[in-house]
């Protein structure tokens, strides 16, 4: 069933959708985060108070359950590289906490396209950066480690895939 969403006079591109039961979240460009608690019958706009929505963009979101989730944010979507950030929530998106990432600000950011290079397996997250680094968290984004391919030029990580749960 198709539903109309009142989105003011702006045009958005949805970048990710996540559901845990009837709780759901949609992110979009320019920066937008919507939440539903009734399976999509109605939607409310959420915000990340620390974000400047005119220059920062929500690229990806993932929710583990109705309370716990993470969003990946990159600044200045169409211009020079800005700082990459990740925010975590423990109350369904009502409040957000910045998590520290092991990359240099203004040198490296997430691939500036939605749905590129994010893999979630249980509590583990893998993502790539524009400088060829691979980040991994084994605890839902609380702590991160970085892998730098040896001898490879710093090309953006376009995608990450695994053959099975071991490889």
């Amino acid at each position: 069933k198709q539903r109309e969403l009142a989105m003011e006079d702006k045009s958005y591109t949805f970048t990710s959708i996540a559901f845990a039961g009837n709780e759901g979240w949609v992110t979009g460009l320019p920066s937008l985060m919507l939440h539903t608690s009734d399976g999509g019958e109605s939607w409310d706009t959420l915000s990340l108070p620390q974000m400047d929505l005119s220059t920062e963009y929500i690229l990806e979101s993932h929710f583990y359950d109705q309370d716990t989730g993470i969003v990946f944010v990159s600044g200045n979507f169409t211009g020079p590289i800005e700082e990459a950030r990740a925010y975590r929530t423990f109350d369904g998106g009502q409040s957000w906490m910045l998590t520290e990432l092991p990359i240099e600000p203004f040198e490296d950011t997430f691939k500036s396209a939605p749905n590129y290079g994010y893999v979630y397996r249980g509590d583990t997250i893998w993502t790539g950066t524009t400088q060829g680094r691979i980040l991994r968290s084994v605890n839902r984004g609380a702590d991160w480690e970085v892998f730098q391919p040896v001898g490879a030029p710093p090309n953006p990580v376009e995608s990450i895939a695994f053959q099975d749960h071991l490889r």
Side-chain angles (χ1 to χ4, degrees), residues 131-132 148-155:
Q131 294 298 308
Q148 178 71 51
V150 177
N155 292 318

Side-chain angles (χ1 to χ4, degrees):
K1 179 179 176 183
Q2 184 174 341
R3 293 184 178 83
E4 294 280 327
L5 292 176
M7 303 299 292
E8 302 170 5
D9 291 333
K10 293 183 179 178
S11 177
Y12 292 95
T13 300
F14 293 151
T15 57
S16 68
I17 184 167
F19 269 87
N22 281 330
E23 300 281 333
W25 300 264
V26 171
T27 59
L29 299 175
S31 285
L32 169 76
M33 180 169 259
L34 302 175
H35 172 257
T36 182
S37 57
D38 58 15
E41 292 294 324
S42 62
W43 294 87
D44 296 311
T45 302
L46 297 178
S47 65
L48 282 79
Q50 303 93 327
M51 282 184 60
D52 176 356
L53 296 180
S54 66
T55 61
E56 294 182 299
Y57 298 90
I58 303 170
L59 298 175
E60 172 77 4
S61 68
H62 180 76
F63 278 79
Y64 297 93
D65 55 46
Q66 66 185 20
D67 294 319
T68 311
I70 189 167
V71 295
F72 294 95
V73 175
S74 185
N76 205 349
F77 192 69
T78 59
I81 292 173
E82 295 285 345
E83 190 170 1
R85 294 189 175 106
Y87 294 92
R88 297 186 318 141
T89 184
F90 301 98
D91 59 10
Q94 298 305 309
S95 63
W96 296 88
M97 179 177 68
L98 182 65
T99 186
E100 192 163 325
L101 298 170
I103 57 177
E104 293 297 318
F106 306 105
E107 286 183 21
D108 203 358
T109 190
F110 301 118
K111 177 69 176 142
S112 293
N115 302 318
Y116 274 88
Y118 301 93
V119 175
Y120 306 93
R121 291 241 170 124
D123 291 344
T124 301
I125 307 167
W126 296 85
T127 187
T129 72
T130 57
Q131 294 298 308
R133 295 176 181 96
I134 298 171
L135 305 181
R136 180 179 75 169
S137 171
V138 296
N139 54 8
R140 297 183 175 188
D143 301 296
W144 293 87
E145 57 186 320
V146 63
F147 300 89
Q148 178 71 51
V150 177
N155 292 318
V157 175
E158 298 287 338
S159 65
I160 298 173
F162 294 94
Q163 188 172 353
D164 56 35
H165 73 282
L166 297 175
R167 301 173 277 169

